Amino acid sequence: MDTFDWIVTGAKAAFLVVILLHVVPIMAWVERRGSALIQNRLGPNRVGPLGIFQSLADAVKFIFKEDPVPGHVEPFYYVLAPLVSLVPAFMTFGVIPFASSIQLGDRMIHFQVADLNVGLLYVFSIASLGVYGIIMAGWASNNKYSMLGSLRSSSQMISYEISMGLSVIGIVMVFSSVKLGDIATQQGELLTHFGPLLLPEALQFPRWGVFVQPVGFLIFLVSVFAETNRLPFDLPEGESEIIAGYHLEYGSMKFAMFMMAEYLNMFTASGLLATLYLGGWQLFPGMGYVLHEVQAYFQMSALAGDWTRIVFEVVSFGIKVGFFMWFFVWVRWTLPRFRYDQLMDLGWKVMLPLSLANILITSVFIFFGWV
Amino acid sequence: MLVKKKKGIFQEFYLVEILKGLYITFKNLFFARKVTLQYPEERRNYSERFRGVHYIKATNGVENCTACMLCPTVCPAECIHIEAGERADKEKYPIRFEIDVLRCCFCGMCEEACPKDAIKLSSIYEMSTTYREVYDKSFLLEQRGNK
């Protein structure tokens, strides 16, 4: 790596960190306003226009609040736990591409902090590290409710990680790559088959993961809810049963770090869903036409045209991710919490066989060359 | 007896029901009337009979109260304390008239017992303070309503 590469990578990482740090307060606001509107209330609307600065006020409160360490906890692990759950949450988004690439001179710049050749596996390995923070918090809190919360979290993680991983195998088989950049690029091609049927020219649509792997998409979507501890699978928190679960003993900024980790996990999950199943940075139908019109209207040079394309792709990716972020909030305020045995039933008796069947059927399709 | 409800194939398959639920919340999100009352700007309309902060009615600047002690007698919370005195024209009047609002339960019995129409409950309900307040006579003599 020479200086240029260092600068480019640093700029991409800085861009991503800034985005990630802004996602949390915005999502906290969206969650509060969204939940309020769904429940026919208005929600926080006083601080700033539409209450958008409410999160800022909350952040100030979190920072300046007294931060006591209760006497009965294990201080070292108690302080470490929020960090352990926050750091992986920041790390995962690095391999998700948020735009395609651009040619600068003789160099290719990929809009992705690290194009690892183990892309997808990296996401899974780092994302499952987050549960260590939760277990550590529950154990170090030395409190029965916290302990129950973290136990639930770990068992939930085990049951759903399997079906999540298996559902993605379908995608990996179809696009024959675990590099997220490759997967996103290949989704720009057209889907020529509908099962054994050959589609006519007019009916061919982009080969997005959701069209190639509809069942895999559903399983992945449900598993992601369990993975990020969001309702209807937020048993580790379960306010009415175990008060707040693993973060019961935490206050001020330590609690805020758990909350940040939750929202960042949501953001990564949305990015992953968009990349794997909705074509990642691929433009929406119609946006390509608009892009050409814009390029022609302003008579852009090749470089300026390329940068416009990048902006369009980032916007397209943003819309997809934003939709899933909103979907998380929307589902949270629609569905009640699952009972614990129902959660386990769903995980082991429905999702696991379904994802195995999905792999089987996908391999049959690939064998006959239908996908 | 536990009756097992027969479920259709669509109800067995969660996702359709979940989509219905999402549709309902989506409708609520945009089209439902919001019930929130934006408090300092908007206020709820209470009835005329609402029982709020007390006041002693005065005619021509003189309180109606004759210190007959009916209100402290009837008061179930025993929060009214009156010390009676005599004016130059031999009429009784309260030297001290204190209401311990922390004890008051706003039942309105004093208002009903008063033969002189002196003690009244206004419709003001904003009475939070940062100290333990006892309403004295000068406070109570501010005319807070038109009952």
Side-chain angles (χ1 to χ4, degrees):
Chain A
M1 275 175 80
D2 57 1
T3 328
F4 182 78
D5 280 339
W6 278 106
I7 292 171
V8 167
T9 312
K12 284 187 288 193
F15 173 75
L16 209 60
V17 167
V18 168
I19 294 285
L20 288 177
L21 283 175
H22 281 77
V23 157
V24 177
I26 290 173
M27 271 322 286
W29 176 76
V30 167
E31 177 106 52
R32 292 181 66 187
R33 287 301 311 252
S35 71
L37 292 174
I38 282 172
Q39 297 168 346
N40 299 354
R41 296 180 288 115
L42 284 178
N45 60 353
R46 291 300 163 111
V47 194
L50 289 175
I52 189 84
F53 297 132
Q54 180 67 43
S55 312
L56 213 63
D58 289 347
V60 170
K61 180 200 152 196
F62 273 134
I63 290 168
F64 286 103
K65 213 174 165 182
E66 191 191 353
D67 193 6
V69 177
H72 56 81
V73 301
E74 186 70 42
F76 179 69
Y77 295 108
Y78 176 82
V79 175
L80 194 64
L83 279 169
V84 171
S85 64
L86 183 65
V87 171
F90 264 108
M91 281 164 67
T92 20
F93 211 89
V95 290
I96 293 174
F98 47 90
S100 62
S101 45
I102 192 168
Q103 186 87 32
L104 279 186
D106 56 343
R107 287 170 194 276
M108 216 41 176
I109 297 178
H110 297 281
F111 282 80
Q112 180 180 15
V113 175
D115 194 8
L116 298 182
N117 51 6
V118 289
L120 207 50
L121 303 177
Y122 169 83
V123 173
F124 282 117
S125 55
I126 299 293
S128 50
L129 279 182
V131 78
Y132 283 104
I134 293 174
I135 294 173
M136 218 183 253
W139 190 269
S141 288
N142 202 4
N143 175 316
K144 283 168 194 149
Y145 290 122
S146 304
M147 191 66 226
L148 279 173
S150 54
L151 286 178
R152 283 177 172 197
S153 174
S154 45
S155 60
Q156 182 176 319
M157 205 62 96
I158 289 166
S159 352
Y160 279 83
E161 199 127 282
I162 294 170
S163 45
M164 189 169 162
L166 289 177
S167 67
V168 170
I169 286 180
I171 281 282
V172 174
M173 281 159 78
V174 170
F175 297 116
S176 29
S177 173
V178 284
K179 284 171 84 169
L180 287 165
D182 284 0
I183 292 175
T185 315
Q186 286 188 43
Q187 293 184 49
E189 295 158 13
L190 286 176
L191 192 65
T192 47
H193 286 73
F194 182 76
L197 301 173
L198 211 63
L199 286 173
E201 192 83 21
L203 280 178
Q204 289 181 358
F205 43 88
R207 196 174 167 218
W208 286 2
V210 67
F211 302 125
V212 200
Q213 286 280 313
V215 179
F217 171 67
L218 272 179
I219 298 168
F220 190 77
L221 188 64
V222 176
S223 310
V224 144
F225 273 92
E227 189 80 4
T228 51
N229 292 334
R230 293 283 296 184
L231 249 124
F233 301 117
D234 76 332
L235 289 142
E237 284 172 38
E239 293 91 351
S240 48
E241 304 153 26
I242 48 173
I243 314 180
Y246 60 91
H247 54 57
L248 172 57
E249 297 285 354
Y250 285 88
S252 82
M253 208 56 209
K254 293 205 203 75
F255 168 75
M257 277 158 90
F258 277 120
M259 216 179 74
M260 275 170 80
E262 184 187 327
Y263 281 117
L264 290 180
N265 282 332
M266 254 168 79
F267 189 60
T268 311
S270 306
L272 208 55
L273 272 164
T275 310
L276 293 178
Y277 292 100
L278 284 193
W281 42 260
Q282 300 287 349
L283 299 180
F284 280 103
M287 268 173 93
Y289 176 73
V290 175
L291 176 65
H292 280 300
E293 289 294 305
V294 167
Q295 278 169 343
Y297 183 78
F298 292 106
Q299 289 166 357
M300 285 173 176
S301 64
L303 189 64
D306 268 0
W307 279 108
T308 326
R309 175 174 57 86
I310 295 295
V311 169
F312 268 61
E313 283 168 357
V314 170
V315 168
S316 169
F317 184 66
I319 292 171
K320 287 164 189 170
V321 172
F323 168 74
F324 279 116
M325 296 292 274
W326 167 245
F327 189 71
F328 273 104
V329 174
W330 189 10
V331 166
R332 175 168 181 187
W333 300 102
T334 302
L335 298 178
R337 187 177 304 125
F338 269 66
R339 214 172 54 211
Y340 193 68
D341 58 319
Q342 290 172 336
L343 179 88
M344 285 295 153
D345 273 2
L346 188 67
W348 292 101
K349 294 187 192 163
V350 181
M351 308 282 268
L352 184 58
L354 211 59
S355 52
L356 286 171
N358 183 44
I359 291 175
L360 180 71
I361 291 169
T362 309
S363 43
V364 169
F365 270 53
I366 289 172
F367 180 75
F368 288 110
W370 288 343
V371 180
Chain B
M1 192 180 101
L2 186 72
V3 182
K4 279 242 169 179
K5 252 195 198 168
K6 267 203 173 168
K7 284 186 259 176
I9 183 88
F10 278 114
Q11 270 128 24
E12 285 286 0
F13 192 57
Y14 273 133
L15 291 172
V16 179
E17 298 296 308
I18 288 176
L19 285 179
K20 276 187 197 167
L22 286 174
Y23 172 64
I24 289 172
T25 42
F26 190 75
K27 267 197 310 189
N28 270 309
L29 177 74
F30 286 115
F31 306 113
R33 198 179 64 85
K34 305 297 176 234
V35 293
T36 306
L37 199 75
Q38 302 256 43
Y39 166 60
E41 292 93 35
E42 291 169 35
R43 274 148 200 276
R44 182 152 286 141
N45 283 324
Y46 287 105
S47 85
E48 284 295 301
R49 302 177 55 183
F50 183 85
R51 303 191 292 267
V53 180
H54 319 68
Y55 68 98
I56 298 173
K57 196 152 186 165
T59 342
N60 304 328
V62 181
E63 69 272 15
N64 283 4
C65 179
T66 56
C68 65
M69 302 290 176
L70 276 176
C71 51
T73 312
V74 78
C75 181
E78 297 181 358
C79 67
I80 307 178
H81 305 287
I82 302 176
E83 194 180 306
E86 217 170 67
R87 285 211 183 85
D89 56 353
K90 298 285 182 197
E91 187 159 0
K92 265 176 92 187
Y93 80 106
I95 300 173
R96 280 193 324 128
F97 195 115
E98 287 176 356
I99 296 176
D100 186 354
V101 268
L102 284 183
R103 298 196 61 155
C104 179
C105 62
F106 296 93
C107 60
M109 303 269 257
C110 46
E111 190 179 9
E112 279 184 43
C114 186
K116 286 287 182 183
D117 239 11
I119 189 160
K120 288 284 180 196
L121 296 178
S122 66
S123 55
I124 295 164
Y125 49 84
E126 287 149 324
M127 50 180 93
S128 60
T129 51
T130 51
Y131 55 95
R132 302 187 170 198
E133 196 171 31
V134 175
Y135 293 160
D136 59 3
K137 197 175 148 190
S138 60
F139 178 85
L140 289 169
L141 268 174
E142 278 171 38
Q143 303 294 301
R144 291 196 171 73
N146 51 2
K147 272 199 255 185

PDB file of all heavy atoms in Angstrom, chain A residues 346-370:
ATOM      1  N   LEU A 346     -39.867 -21.914  16.819  1.00  0.00           N
ATOM      2  CA  LEU A 346     -39.730 -21.294  15.503  1.00  0.00           C
ATOM      3  C   LEU A 346     -38.311 -21.467  14.978  1.00  0.00           C
ATOM      4  O   LEU A 346     -38.095 -21.791  13.817  1.00  0.00           O
ATOM      5  CB  LEU A 346     -40.079 -19.802  15.602  1.00  0.00           C
ATOM      6  CG  LEU A 346     -40.177 -19.061  14.282  1.00  0.00           C
ATOM      7  CD1 LEU A 346     -41.344 -19.559  13.482  1.00  0.00           C
ATOM      8  CD2 LEU A 346     -40.303 -17.571  14.524  1.00  0.00           C
ATOM      9  N   GLY A 347     -37.356 -21.294  15.866  1.00  0.00           N
ATOM     10  CA  GLY A 347     -35.958 -21.381  15.432  1.00  0.00           C
ATOM     11  C   GLY A 347     -35.573 -22.778  14.977  1.00  0.00           C
ATOM     12  O   GLY A 347     -35.016 -22.945  13.899  1.00  0.00           O
ATOM     13  N   TRP A 348     -35.884 -23.783  15.813  1.00  0.00           N
ATOM     14  CA  TRP A 348     -35.364 -25.115  15.522  1.00  0.00           C
ATOM     15  C   TRP A 348     -36.299 -25.941  14.661  1.00  0.00           C
ATOM     16  O   TRP A 348     -35.849 -26.808  13.921  1.00  0.00           O
ATOM     17  CB  TRP A 348     -35.078 -25.863  16.825  1.00  0.00           C
ATOM     18  CG  TRP A 348     -33.941 -25.282  17.594  1.00  0.00           C
ATOM     19  CD1 TRP A 348     -34.034 -24.477  18.674  1.00  0.00           C
ATOM     20  CD2 TRP A 348     -32.555 -25.439  17.321  1.00  0.00           C
ATOM     21  NE1 TRP A 348     -32.787 -24.117  19.101  1.00  0.00           N
ATOM     22  CE2 TRP A 348     -31.853 -24.704  18.291  1.00  0.00           C
ATOM     23  CE3 TRP A 348     -31.837 -26.134  16.356  1.00  0.00           C
ATOM     24  CZ2 TRP A 348     -30.476 -24.627  18.331  1.00  0.00           C
ATOM     25  CZ3 TRP A 348     -30.462 -26.062  16.400  1.00  0.00           C
ATOM     26  CH2 TRP A 348     -29.790 -25.318  17.376  1.00  0.00           C
ATOM     27  N   LYS A 349     -37.629 -25.734  14.792  1.00  0.00           N
ATOM     28  CA  LYS A 349     -38.547 -26.625  14.083  1.00  0.00           C
ATOM     29  C   LYS A 349     -39.012 -26.044  12.755  1.00  0.00           C
ATOM     30  O   LYS A 349     -39.530 -26.774  11.924  1.00  0.00           O
ATOM     31  CB  LYS A 349     -39.773 -26.915  14.956  1.00  0.00           C
ATOM     32  CG  LYS A 349     -39.451 -27.711  16.190  1.00  0.00           C
ATOM     33  CD  LYS A 349     -40.726 -28.080  16.884  1.00  0.00           C
ATOM     34  CE  LYS A 349     -40.490 -28.632  18.260  1.00  0.00           C
ATOM     35  NZ  LYS A 349     -41.723 -28.591  19.049  1.00  0.00           N
ATOM     36  N   VAL A 350     -38.910 -24.741  12.580  1.00  0.00           N
ATOM     37  CA  VAL A 350     -39.383 -24.147  11.331  1.00  0.00           C
ATOM     38  C   VAL A 350     -38.223 -23.609  10.497  1.00  0.00           C
ATOM     39  O   VAL A 350     -38.030 -24.016   9.355  1.00  0.00           O
ATOM     40  CB  VAL A 350     -40.414 -23.022  11.605  1.00  0.00           C
ATOM     41  CG1 VAL A 350     -40.904 -22.441  10.316  1.00  0.00           C
ATOM     42  CG2 VAL A 350     -41.562 -23.550  12.434  1.00  0.00           C
ATOM     43  N   MET A 351     -37.454 -22.705  11.107  1.00  0.00           N
ATOM     44  CA  MET A 351     -36.434 -22.013  10.321  1.00  0.00           C
ATOM     45  C   MET A 351     -35.320 -22.941   9.861  1.00  0.00           C
ATOM     46  O   MET A 351     -34.878 -22.875   8.724  1.00  0.00           O
ATOM     47  CB  MET A 351     -35.827 -20.878  11.148  1.00  0.00           C
ATOM     48  CG  MET A 351     -36.821 -19.968  11.743  1.00  0.00           C
ATOM     49  SD  MET A 351     -37.413 -18.857  10.555  1.00  0.00           S
ATOM     50  CE  MET A 351     -36.282 -17.548  10.824  1.00  0.00           C
ATOM     51  N   LEU A 352     -34.859 -23.821  10.754  1.00  0.00           N
ATOM     52  CA  LEU A 352     -33.726 -24.686  10.403  1.00  0.00           C
ATOM     53  C   LEU A 352     -34.081 -25.646   9.272  1.00  0.00           C
ATOM     54  O   LEU A 352     -33.379 -25.686   8.259  1.00  0.00           O
ATOM     55  CB  LEU A 352     -33.246 -25.425  11.655  1.00  0.00           C
ATOM     56  CG  LEU A 352     -32.005 -26.290  11.484  1.00  0.00           C
ATOM     57  CD1 LEU A 352     -30.853 -25.449  10.999  1.00  0.00           C
ATOM     58  CD2 LEU A 352     -31.651 -26.958  12.791  1.00  0.00           C
ATOM     59  N   PRO A 353     -35.220 -26.416   9.372  1.00  0.00           N
ATOM     60  CA  PRO A 353     -35.575 -27.279   8.243  1.00  0.00           C
ATOM     61  C   PRO A 353     -35.822 -26.495   6.957  1.00  0.00           C
ATOM     62  O   PRO A 353     -35.418 -26.917   5.881  1.00  0.00           O
ATOM     63  CB  PRO A 353     -36.875 -27.951   8.704  1.00  0.00           C
ATOM     64  CG  PRO A 353     -36.923 -27.786  10.150  1.00  0.00           C
ATOM     65  CD  PRO A 353     -36.157 -26.571  10.491  1.00  0.00           C
ATOM     66  N   LEU A 354     -36.453 -25.318   7.119  1.00  0.00           N
ATOM     67  CA  LEU A 354     -36.772 -24.516   5.937  1.00  0.00           C
ATOM     68  C   LEU A 354     -35.500 -24.072   5.232  1.00  0.00           C
ATOM     69  O   LEU A 354     -35.404 -24.120   3.997  1.00  0.00           O
ATOM     70  CB  LEU A 354     -37.591 -23.302   6.369  1.00  0.00           C
ATOM     71  CG  LEU A 354     -38.597 -22.762   5.376  1.00  0.00           C
ATOM     72  CD1 LEU A 354     -39.601 -23.833   5.012  1.00  0.00           C
ATOM     73  CD2 LEU A 354     -39.307 -21.560   5.968  1.00  0.00           C
ATOM     74  N   SER A 355     -34.506 -23.658   6.025  1.00  0.00           N
ATOM     75  CA  SER A 355     -33.280 -23.182   5.385  1.00  0.00           C
ATOM     76  C   SER A 355     -32.516 -24.333   4.752  1.00  0.00           C
ATOM     77  O   SER A 355     -31.919 -24.178   3.686  1.00  0.00           O
ATOM     78  CB  SER A 355     -32.410 -22.432   6.391  1.00  0.00           C
ATOM     79  OG  SER A 355     -32.209 -23.203   7.531  1.00  0.00           O
ATOM     80  N   LEU A 356     -32.580 -25.520   5.372  1.00  0.00           N
ATOM     81  CA  LEU A 356     -31.933 -26.692   4.764  1.00  0.00           C
ATOM     82  C   LEU A 356     -32.623 -27.053   3.438  1.00  0.00           C
ATOM     83  O   LEU A 356     -31.960 -27.308   2.430  1.00  0.00           O
ATOM     84  CB  LEU A 356     -31.977 -27.879   5.727  1.00  0.00           C
ATOM     85  CG  LEU A 356     -31.008 -27.779   6.905  1.00  0.00           C
ATOM     86  CD1 LEU A 356     -31.282 -28.883   7.899  1.00  0.00           C
ATOM     87  CD2 LEU A 356     -29.582 -27.847   6.420  1.00  0.00           C
ATOM     88  N   ALA A 357     -33.980 -27.007   3.467  1.00  0.00           N
ATOM     89  CA  ALA A 357     -34.727 -27.296   2.243  1.00  0.00           C
ATOM     90  C   ALA A 357     -34.393 -26.273   1.163  1.00  0.00           C
ATOM     91  O   ALA A 357     -34.282 -26.603  -0.019  1.00  0.00           O
ATOM     92  CB  ALA A 357     -36.222 -27.286   2.531  1.00  0.00           C
ATOM     93  N   ASN A 358     -34.214 -25.020   1.586  1.00  0.00           N
ATOM     94  CA  ASN A 358     -33.879 -23.954   0.645  1.00  0.00           C
ATOM     95  C   ASN A 358     -32.566 -24.251  -0.053  1.00  0.00           C
ATOM     96  O   ASN A 358     -32.436 -24.096  -1.274  1.00  0.00           O
ATOM     97  CB  ASN A 358     -33.813 -22.627   1.400  1.00  0.00           C
ATOM     98  CG  ASN A 358     -33.555 -21.471   0.476  1.00  0.00           C
ATOM     99  OD1 ASN A 358     -34.157 -21.399  -0.581  1.00  0.00           O
ATOM    100  ND2 ASN A 358     -32.660 -20.595   0.859  1.00  0.00           N
ATOM    101  N   ILE A 359     -31.589 -24.734   0.720  1.00  0.00           N
ATOM    102  CA  ILE A 359     -30.298 -25.059   0.124  1.00  0.00           C
ATOM    103  C   ILE A 359     -30.454 -26.183  -0.889  1.00  0.00           C
ATOM    104  O   ILE A 359     -29.939 -26.124  -2.006  1.00  0.00           O
ATOM    105  CB  ILE A 359     -29.291 -25.466   1.220  1.00  0.00           C
ATOM    106  CG1 ILE A 359     -28.938 -24.255   2.063  1.00  0.00           C
ATOM    107  CG2 ILE A 359     -28.034 -26.039   0.603  1.00  0.00           C
ATOM    108  CD1 ILE A 359     -28.060 -24.595   3.217  1.00  0.00           C
ATOM    109  N   LEU A 360     -31.251 -27.202  -0.508  1.00  0.00           N
ATOM    110  CA  LEU A 360     -31.458 -28.348  -1.397  1.00  0.00           C
ATOM    111  C   LEU A 360     -32.071 -27.895  -2.713  1.00  0.00           C
ATOM    112  O   LEU A 360     -31.575 -28.206  -3.803  1.00  0.00           O
ATOM    113  CB  LEU A 360     -32.363 -29.370  -0.703  1.00  0.00           C
ATOM    114  CG  LEU A 360     -32.652 -30.615  -1.515  1.00  0.00           C
ATOM    115  CD1 LEU A 360     -31.400 -31.461  -1.611  1.00  0.00           C
ATOM    116  CD2 LEU A 360     -33.785 -31.398  -0.907  1.00  0.00           C
ATOM    117  N   ILE A 361     -33.152 -27.098  -2.601  1.00  0.00           N
ATOM    118  CA  ILE A 361     -33.860 -26.683  -3.812  1.00  0.00           C
ATOM    119  C   ILE A 361     -32.977 -25.776  -4.670  1.00  0.00           C
ATOM    120  O   ILE A 361     -32.943 -25.892  -5.896  1.00  0.00           O
ATOM    121  CB  ILE A 361     -35.190 -26.001  -3.418  1.00  0.00           C
ATOM    122  CG1 ILE A 361     -36.126 -27.069  -2.845  1.00  0.00           C
ATOM    123  CG2 ILE A 361     -35.823 -25.331  -4.611  1.00  0.00           C
ATOM    124  CD1 ILE A 361     -37.335 -26.521  -2.185  1.00  0.00           C
ATOM    125  N   THR A 362     -32.229 -24.893  -3.996  1.00  0.00           N
ATOM    126  CA  THR A 362     -31.324 -24.026  -4.743  1.00  0.00           C
ATOM    127  C   THR A 362     -30.297 -24.840  -5.511  1.00  0.00           C
ATOM    128  O   THR A 362     -30.008 -24.555  -6.680  1.00  0.00           O
ATOM    129  CB  THR A 362     -30.595 -23.073  -3.786  1.00  0.00           C
ATOM    130  OG1 THR A 362     -31.550 -22.441  -2.964  1.00  0.00           O
ATOM    131  CG2 THR A 362     -29.824 -22.021  -4.550  1.00  0.00           C
ATOM    132  N   SER A 363     -29.764 -25.894  -4.850  1.00  0.00           N
ATOM    133  CA  SER A 363     -28.742 -26.677  -5.547  1.00  0.00           C
ATOM    134  C   SER A 363     -29.348 -27.423  -6.728  1.00  0.00           C
ATOM    135  O   SER A 363     -28.715 -27.556  -7.771  1.00  0.00           O
ATOM    136  CB  SER A 363     -28.046 -27.633  -4.582  1.00  0.00           C
ATOM    137  OG  SER A 363     -28.984 -28.239  -3.759  1.00  0.00           O
ATOM    138  N   VAL A 364     -30.626 -27.873  -6.589  1.00  0.00           N
ATOM    139  CA  VAL A 364     -31.299 -28.511  -7.730  1.00  0.00           C
ATOM    140  C   VAL A 364     -31.422 -27.520  -8.881  1.00  0.00           C
ATOM    141  O   VAL A 364     -31.107 -27.826 -10.037  1.00  0.00           O
ATOM    142  CB  VAL A 364     -32.691 -29.033  -7.301  1.00  0.00           C
ATOM    143  CG1 VAL A 364     -33.494 -29.437  -8.520  1.00  0.00           C
ATOM    144  CG2 VAL A 364     -32.546 -30.193  -6.348  1.00  0.00           C
ATOM    145  N   PHE A 365     -31.836 -26.280  -8.547  1.00  0.00           N
ATOM    146  CA  PHE A 365     -31.990 -25.242  -9.577  1.00  0.00           C
ATOM    147  C   PHE A 365     -30.664 -24.969 -10.265  1.00  0.00           C
ATOM    148  O   PHE A 365     -30.592 -24.824 -11.479  1.00  0.00           O
ATOM    149  CB  PHE A 365     -32.540 -23.952  -8.953  1.00  0.00           C
ATOM    150  CG  PHE A 365     -34.030 -23.874  -8.941  1.00  0.00           C
ATOM    151  CD1 PHE A 365     -34.785 -24.895  -8.404  1.00  0.00           C
ATOM    152  CD2 PHE A 365     -34.686 -22.773  -9.461  1.00  0.00           C
ATOM    153  CE1 PHE A 365     -36.162 -24.834  -8.387  1.00  0.00           C
ATOM    154  CE2 PHE A 365     -36.063 -22.706  -9.461  1.00  0.00           C
ATOM    155  CZ  PHE A 365     -36.799 -23.736  -8.918  1.00  0.00           C
ATOM    156  N   ILE A 366     -29.596 -24.896  -9.444  1.00  0.00           N
ATOM    157  CA  ILE A 366     -28.291 -24.596 -10.022  1.00  0.00           C
ATOM    158  C   ILE A 366     -27.827 -25.751 -10.905  1.00  0.00           C
ATOM    159  O   ILE A 366     -27.271 -25.548 -11.983  1.00  0.00           O
ATOM    160  CB  ILE A 366     -27.274 -24.290  -8.904  1.00  0.00           C
ATOM    161  CG1 ILE A 366     -27.602 -22.945  -8.272  1.00  0.00           C
ATOM    162  CG2 ILE A 366     -25.855 -24.254  -9.455  1.00  0.00           C
ATOM    163  CD1 ILE A 366     -26.799 -22.638  -7.057  1.00  0.00           C
ATOM    164  N   PHE A 367     -28.139 -26.988 -10.473  1.00  0.00           N
ATOM    165  CA  PHE A 367     -27.755 -28.168 -11.249  1.00  0.00           C
ATOM    166  C   PHE A 367     -28.377 -28.133 -12.648  1.00  0.00           C
ATOM    167  O   PHE A 367     -27.742 -28.436 -13.646  1.00  0.00           O
ATOM    168  CB  PHE A 367     -28.189 -29.430 -10.500  1.00  0.00           C
ATOM    169  CG  PHE A 367     -27.831 -30.699 -11.217  1.00  0.00           C
ATOM    170  CD1 PHE A 367     -26.520 -31.142 -11.222  1.00  0.00           C
ATOM    171  CD2 PHE A 367     -28.797 -31.419 -11.898  1.00  0.00           C
ATOM    172  CE1 PHE A 367     -26.189 -32.303 -11.901  1.00  0.00           C
ATOM    173  CE2 PHE A 367     -28.465 -32.571 -12.567  1.00  0.00           C
ATOM    174  CZ  PHE A 367     -27.156 -33.017 -12.564  1.00  0.00           C
ATOM    175  N   PHE A 368     -29.649 -27.721 -12.709  1.00  0.00           N
ATOM    176  CA  PHE A 368     -30.314 -27.642 -14.007  1.00  0.00           C
ATOM    177  C   PHE A 368     -30.048 -26.316 -14.713  1.00  0.00           C
ATOM    178  O   PHE A 368     -30.573 -26.078 -15.795  1.00  0.00           O
ATOM    179  CB  PHE A 368     -31.821 -27.844 -13.835  1.00  0.00           C
ATOM    180  CG  PHE A 368     -32.193 -29.258 -13.518  1.00  0.00           C
ATOM    181  CD1 PHE A 368     -32.660 -29.612 -12.272  1.00  0.00           C
ATOM    182  CD2 PHE A 368     -32.035 -30.257 -14.477  1.00  0.00           C
ATOM    183  CE1 PHE A 368     -32.992 -30.925 -11.985  1.00  0.00           C
ATOM    184  CE2 PHE A 368     -32.356 -31.571 -14.193  1.00  0.00           C
ATOM    185  CZ  PHE A 368     -32.835 -31.907 -12.947  1.00  0.00           C
ATOM    186  N   GLY A 369     -29.280 -25.435 -14.063  1.00  0.00           N
ATOM    187  CA  GLY A 369     -28.946 -24.161 -14.700  1.00  0.00           C
ATOM    188  C   GLY A 369     -30.116 -23.210 -14.813  1.00  0.00           C
ATOM    189  O   GLY A 369     -30.249 -22.463 -15.765  1.00  0.00           O
ATOM    190  N   TRP A 370     -31.011 -23.229 -13.840  1.00  0.00           N
ATOM    191  CA  TRP A 370     -32.214 -22.393 -13.914  1.00  0.00           C
ATOM    192  C   TRP A 370     -32.034 -21.035 -13.266  1.00  0.00           C
ATOM    193  O   TRP A 370     -32.888 -20.173 -13.395  1.00  0.00           O
ATOM    194  CB  TRP A 370     -33.390 -23.109 -13.244  1.00  0.00           C
ATOM    195  CG  TRP A 370     -33.907 -24.252 -14.034  1.00  0.00           C
ATOM    196  CD1 TRP A 370     -33.671 -24.497 -15.370  1.00  0.00           C
ATOM    197  CD2 TRP A 370     -34.724 -25.314 -13.567  1.00  0.00           C
ATOM    198  NE1 TRP A 370     -34.293 -25.646 -15.744  1.00  0.00           N
ATOM    199  CE2 TRP A 370     -34.961 -26.179 -14.668  1.00  0.00           C
ATOM    200  CE3 TRP A 370     -35.285 -25.624 -12.330  1.00  0.00           C
ATOM    201  CZ2 TRP A 370     -35.737 -27.315 -14.561  1.00  0.00           C
ATOM    202  CZ3 TRP A 370     -36.064 -26.753 -12.228  1.00  0.00           C
ATOM    203  CH2 TRP A 370     -36.284 -27.593 -13.340  1.00  0.00           C
TER     204      TRP A 370
END
